[in-house]
Amino acid sequence: MAPSLDFSVLWAKDTRKGTPVVVKMENPNYSVVEIDGPDAAFRPVDKDRGKNAKQFTWVLLLKAHRAVGCVAWLATVLWALLGAVKKRLIFRQGVAMESEKSSKGKLLFKFLRGFLVLSMAALVFEVVAHLNGWHYFQNPNLHIPQTSEIEGWFHMVYVGWLEFRADYIAPLILSLSNICVALFIIQSLDRLVLCIGCFWIKYKKIKPRIEGDPFKSDDVEGGGYEYPMVLVQIPMCNEREVYEQSISAVCQIDWPKDRLLIQVLDDSDDESIQSVIKAEVAKWSQRGVNIVYRHRLIRTGYKAGNLKSAMSCDYVKRYEFVAIFDADFQPNPDFLKLTVPHFKDNPELGLVQARWGFVNKDENLLTRLQNINLCFHFEVEQQVNGVFLNFFGFNGTAGVWRIKALEESGGWLERTTVEDMDIAVRAHLNGWKFIFLNDVKVLCEVPESYEAYRKQQHRWHSGPMQLFRLCLPAVLTSKISFLKKANLILLFFLLRKLILPFYSFTLFCIILPLTMFVPEAELPIWVICYIPVLMSFLNILPAPRSFPFIVPYLLFENTMSVTKFNAMVSGLFQLGSSYEWVVTKKAGRASEPDLLAAAERESKAIGHTQLHRGVSDSGLSELSKLKEQQEAEPLPPKKKVNKIYKKELALAFLLLTASVRSLLSAQGIHFYFLLFQGVSFLLVGLDLIGEQMS
């Protein structure tokens, strides 16, 4: 048997050490003290012994003062917390809300306030019940229902809810879901036809080609080259981050200097930005580039008004073509030599559109998902429509127009925020043809933050609906063929601009969550899983490197359907937000090879124009002074703010609730789909996808 190790007996013993000592003093003035041990003389003395009433009162006062200070501190903290809540939720201070308009986004806050009032009413009821003694069941007039009665009430309410759900709610959801499913199938067939057309173009290697030497003069005696007069326009507005690289790239386009004019159309309202753009224009002007700076005093019509004002100049009449580049676009030096030759011997051609390339497509998850959509747009939609229909929507930049086509179509109009689509539709109605060059790319940026992307998508989806209302009578009364009218109305506007955001939002963001609470309106598995995955695969085909992001892409598209549907409705019914124009925020990024090539070309340009250096001393000195001033005076730091996207957050919690409900109902596929979809909404709502705090 193991030995017993019980130390309690040892611990209970007296552990005093040493020998008792008795000390006797001869002097009678001293008392005799007996010390039993070394610690006996140092035992603590009772603190309360010898304490008078006055000292006790002071102790109580100190403790009371400390308690009052603690209560005051708690009250201060509570008051500061309530003040912060009041500033953020009521006065919206220190938070960047989803919209600057106070009329928007109040529904969620009203719901929260109503829930708070209901909670306060329940609290008051509990207090009254406590004061009246109901919780002790001592009131003889208070009837306490039995368990069977409560179960009967709940059973009656639940049976009534089942009957109401089956008779009224389920048929309505089924009817709406059938309509959305039919629209979903039609839109999927349209996308499938576009993909088949793209495969056919790839298989047959169909693309616009240039025959012979397009610039060689037909005059045998001359034997030289003839270049048409080309006008290049760079519209911009407060583009501090990208103006320099855009102007530099355009000024280095390979084209005879006497046959080229560059217009920098600056609509900036910041004088510091105007000054640096003027200095940049002066720098290139002194190097021999034919470039001018234009600034409007009355800034109406946004980009359309800017372009319209520039086209009204008298010297524009000498030019035959106009190329347009937004402020973040960087064309290669051979851009005009790859696009302008297509106009030769083709008098019906009105537009040559180039493809966009993106320097920041791998910056974050948001840019990768945008790259998927834009690659499908250019590779499939634009290319197929250009080859088989000679019509597509002008992208607003990276394109060359025949000035005669612009003039005959009515020029730039300020009636919508999609002036590029407006002029393309009117040119198509006048019989002009378009060509899309998929192998000619112009580098640009995609928005890197969700806020900038959301505003861009709102403009891109509200403008077409507004334009559809305005141009529908002109389409019906035009002289183009019936098939072209049907394509323009049914496919270009209704199916791809109206039906797509409508069914996407209604089917996947409203009906699908409701089916979790209304089992009678169950959706088939091929609608919520198989066809969306197949369509996502087709969308990713033009960007094969994006296949790992197919699940985030599918869910993020449903997330953005909230913004697209809202924009579509505002444009269709001409609400106030359909006229909003917000310049997309840019980061001023450029790929490293492009920066090196631009620096090399610029150095060569400087070497070839040394004769003009003496004349440009004033402009260059002004530029150097401005740069030194910018470096010496750093910009004040911007206050970081949180961003709240209320619609996305509300829908996220709705979908997450529906996923929990589906889990309780053991509906596995619905649970996983809604769970991932809810998480994607939550990520967007919390601004975790690519948002960089300024």
Side-chain angles (χ1 to χ4, degrees):
M1 179 180 294
S4 177
L5 301 176
D6 189 3
F7 298 99
S8 60
V9 178
L10 297 177
W11 290 343
K13 293 181 178 180
D14 190 6
T15 58
R16 293 181 296 179
K17 296 181 182 180
T19 304
V21 178
V22 178
V23 179
K24 295 182 178 181
M25 306 298 296
E26 295 180 357
N27 190 347
N29 294 331
Y30 296 92
S31 63
V32 179
V33 179
E34 182 179 353
I35 302 176
D36 295 335
D39 298 331
F42 303 99
R43 290 176 182 174
V45 183
D46 189 4
K47 294 182 179 179
D48 294 334
R49 189 176 60 185
K51 184 181 295 185
N52 55 25
K54 187 176 182 180
Q55 292 176 337
F56 187 74
T57 303
W58 277 107
V59 171
L60 291 180
L61 289 176
L62 289 175
K63 291 183 178 180
H65 181 269
R66 186 177 301 175
V68 171
C70 182
V71 173
W73 179 81
L74 291 176
T76 304
V77 172
L78 181 61
W79 184 260
L81 180 62
L82 294 177
V85 172
K86 181 179 180 181
K87 289 180 180 180
R88 289 175 61 84
L89 296 184
I90 300 178
F91 297 106
R92 301 181 179 182
Q93 297 178 2
V95 60
M97 300 302 292
E98 180 186 13
S99 176
E100 296 299 333
K101 294 190 175 182
S102 59
S103 61
K104 278 191 167 185
K106 289 187 176 181
L107 183 60
L108 181 60
F109 290 145
K110 289 181 179 179
F111 172 77
L112 294 177
R113 291 168 186 167
F115 186 77
L116 180 61
V117 171
L118 183 62
S119 302
M120 294 300 294
L123 179 61
V124 171
F125 176 78
E126 291 290 337
V127 173
V128 173
H130 178 80
L131 296 177
N132 292 333
W134 295 349
H135 59 294
Y136 293 115
F137 303 105
Q138 297 175 353
N139 193 338
N141 298 325
L142 180 64
H143 173 68
I144 307 300
Q146 302 298 322
T147 305
S148 58
E149 295 180 359
I150 297 176
E151 292 179 352
W153 293 345
F154 277 106
H155 180 72
M156 181 178 60
V157 172
Y158 184 68
V159 171
W161 157 248
L162 292 180
E163 294 178 353
F164 178 78
R165 187 179 70 185
D167 295 339
Y168 298 99
I169 299 180
L172 180 62
I173 296 179
L174 283 175
S175 302
L176 185 59
S177 63
N178 291 333
I179 296 175
C180 292
V181 168
L183 297 177
F184 178 47
I185 294 175
I186 294 174
Q187 197 274 335
S188 301
L189 291 176
D190 172 66
R191 187 149 296 192
L192 182 62
V193 170
L194 290 175
C195 291
I196 294 175
C198 182
F199 290 145
W200 180 259
I201 292 174
K202 296 292 184 183
Y203 177 72
K204 291 293 185 178
K205 297 181 180 179
I206 303 174
K207 67 176 183 178
R209 302 181 185 276
I210 302 174
E211 301 295 338
D213 191 348
F215 302 112
K216 190 172 183 179
S217 177
D218 296 333
D219 189 2
V220 181
E221 296 181 358
Y225 288 84
E226 183 179 356
Y227 292 87
M229 300 285 288
V230 178
L231 175 68
V232 180
Q233 295 178 335
I234 312 176
M236 59 180 62
C237 180
N238 297 325
E239 307 283 0
R240 182 187 295 274
E241 297 82 7
V242 294
Y243 77 93
E244 188 173 2
Q245 63 189 33
S246 175
I247 295 176
S248 174
V250 172
C251 289
Q252 297 174 53
I253 290 180
D254 187 10
W255 200 258
K257 302 300 181 182
D258 59 336
R259 315 292 292 180
L260 179 69
L261 174 63
I262 301 173
Q263 286 182 322
V264 178
L265 312 177
D266 183 23
D267 259 3
S268 303
D269 54 2
D270 190 340
E271 294 183 357
S272 62
I273 300 178
Q274 296 177 21
S275 61
V276 294
I277 295 178
K278 288 179 182 179
E280 184 70 15
V281 171
K283 179 183 72 174
W284 286 101
S285 177
Q286 300 301 333
R287 291 179 182 177
V289 179
N290 193 10
I291 183 172
V292 295
Y293 174 87
R294 282 183 54 86
H295 178 75
R296 296 190 300 162
L297 298 178
I298 303 177
R299 300 168 56 250
T300 59
Y302 303 113
K303 181 180 177 181
N306 198 2
L307 294 173
K308 181 179 179 180
S309 175
M311 294 297 294
S312 63
C313 298
D314 294 335
Y315 55 79
V316 174
K317 299 178 181 179
R318 304 196 304 265
Y319 294 86
E320 187 177 358
F321 305 103
V322 55
I324 302 174
F325 300 101
D326 283 350
D328 60 319
F329 279 71
Q330 308 165 41
N332 291 327
D334 59 349
F335 176 82
L336 292 181
K337 290 187 176 180
L338 295 176
T339 55
V340 175
H342 291 278
F343 289 97
K344 187 176 182 181
D345 300 329
N346 194 357
E348 296 181 350
L349 183 61
L351 169 66
V352 175
Q353 174 71 60
R355 180 176 176 171
W356 296 0
F358 310 106
V359 297
N360 60 338
K361 60 182 179 181
D362 297 326
E363 185 66 24
N364 52 47
L365 179 60
L366 180 61
T367 58
R368 294 176 187 272
L369 300 180
Q370 292 180 73
N371 182 59
I372 296 175
N373 272 335
L374 292 173
C375 284
F376 182 86
H377 170 70
F378 288 107
E379 186 91 12
V380 179
E381 293 180 344
Q382 297 290 77
Q383 185 173 209
V384 171
N385 290 327
V387 170
F388 294 102
L389 300 177
N390 294 120
F391 168 72
F392 48 82
F394 175 47
N395 294 117
T397 178
V400 182
W401 276 94
R402 191 189 296 271
I403 294 181
K404 182 180 179 181
L406 291 177
E407 294 174 349
E408 291 185 358
S409 303
W412 300 104
L413 299 182
E414 307 171 7
R415 56 182 181 175
T416 66
T417 57
V418 284
E419 72 293 329
D420 45 7
M421 185 180 294
D422 188 3
I423 188 62
V425 170
R426 287 184 282 116
H428 179 61
L429 296 179
N430 283 304
W432 292 98
K433 297 181 179 181
F434 303 161
I435 284 180
F436 178 76
L437 303 179
N438 190 55
D439 53 350
V440 179
K441 292 185 179 181
V442 181
L443 295 179
C444 64
E445 293 184 19
V446 289
E448 297 182 5
S449 66
Y450 175 71
E451 180 67 16
Y453 177 66
R454 187 186 64 83
K455 292 179 180 179
Q456 182 194 68
Q457 292 299 307
H458 186 277
R459 186 176 75 248
W460 285 4
H461 285 81
S462 64
M465 288 296 95
Q466 188 180 5
L467 178 62
F468 176 68
R469 290 174 53 97
L470 296 174
C471 69
L472 181 60
V475 174
L476 296 175
T477 58
S478 64
K479 298 180 180 179
I480 60 176
S481 64
F482 175 78
L483 292 179
K484 290 184 177 180
K485 290 182 181 180
N487 170 73
L488 195 60
I489 296 176
L490 299 179
L491 295 181
F492 185 77
F493 278 113
L494 292 181
L495 184 60
R496 297 166 189 167
K497 310 300 183 195
L498 188 147
I499 292 178
L500 177 59
F502 170 76
Y503 88 78
S504 179
F505 173 75
T506 307
L507 185 61
F508 294 105
C509 297
I510 296 181
I511 296 179
L512 183 58
L514 287 178
T515 57
M516 300 298 100
F517 304 96
V518 186
E520 295 84 356
E522 188 71 23
L523 291 175
I525 188 72
W526 56 270
V527 172
I528 63 176
C529 183
Y530 298 148
I531 292 185
V533 172
L534 177 60
M535 292 298 103
S536 298
F537 270 107
L538 293 179
N539 286 355
I540 293 181
L541 283 179
R545 292 179 55 190
S546 302
F547 268 102
F549 305 100
I550 183 171
V551 175
Y553 171 74
L554 176 62
L555 300 178
F556 184 72
E557 280 301 295
N558 291 333
T559 302
M560 288 307 302
S561 64
V562 180
T563 297
K564 296 176 181 178
F565 178 78
N566 182 24
M568 182 269 293
V569 172
S570 64
L572 186 63
F573 297 101
Q574 294 186 344
L575 303 180
S577 60
S578 62
Y579 295 94
E580 293 179 354
W581 178 287
V582 180
V583 178
T584 305
K585 184 179 180 180
K586 305 173 182 68
R589 298 187 183 274
S591 59
E592 184 176 353
D594 299 321
L595 289 175
L596 294 176
E600 183 179 358
R601 292 194 302 267
E602 184 173 353
S603 63
K604 290 181 179 179
I606 295 175
H608 288 305
T609 58
Q610 289 182 355
L611 295 177
H612 302 276
R613 190 64 178 266
V615 187
S616 62
D617 286 340
S618 59
L620 293 177
S621 61
E622 180 182 357
L623 177 63
S624 61
K625 290 180 181 179
L626 288 172
K627 289 185 176 180
E628 291 177 359
Q629 183 178 2
Q630 290 176 355
E631 294 177 356
E633 299 177 0
L635 295 176
K638 296 182 180 180
K639 183 180 179 181
K640 294 183 178 181
V641 295
N642 299 323
K643 298 187 186 307
I644 297 180
Y645 304 104
K646 297 184 291 293
K647 293 194 298 293
E648 286 84 349
L649 282 174
L651 191 53
F653 288 111
L654 173 63
L655 293 174
L656 290 176
T657 305
S659 65
V660 175
R661 170 64 175 82
S662 64
L663 178 63
L664 297 177
S665 302
Q667 300 176 5
I669 185 65
H670 286 184
F671 165 70
Y672 288 112
F673 185 83
L674 284 171
L675 180 62
F676 282 116
Q677 192 175 15
V679 170
S680 67
F681 273 91
L682 193 60
L683 290 177
V684 175
L686 296 176
D687 200 21
L688 297 180
I689 298 182
E691 183 66 37
Q692 295 179 350
M693 301 302 293
S694 57

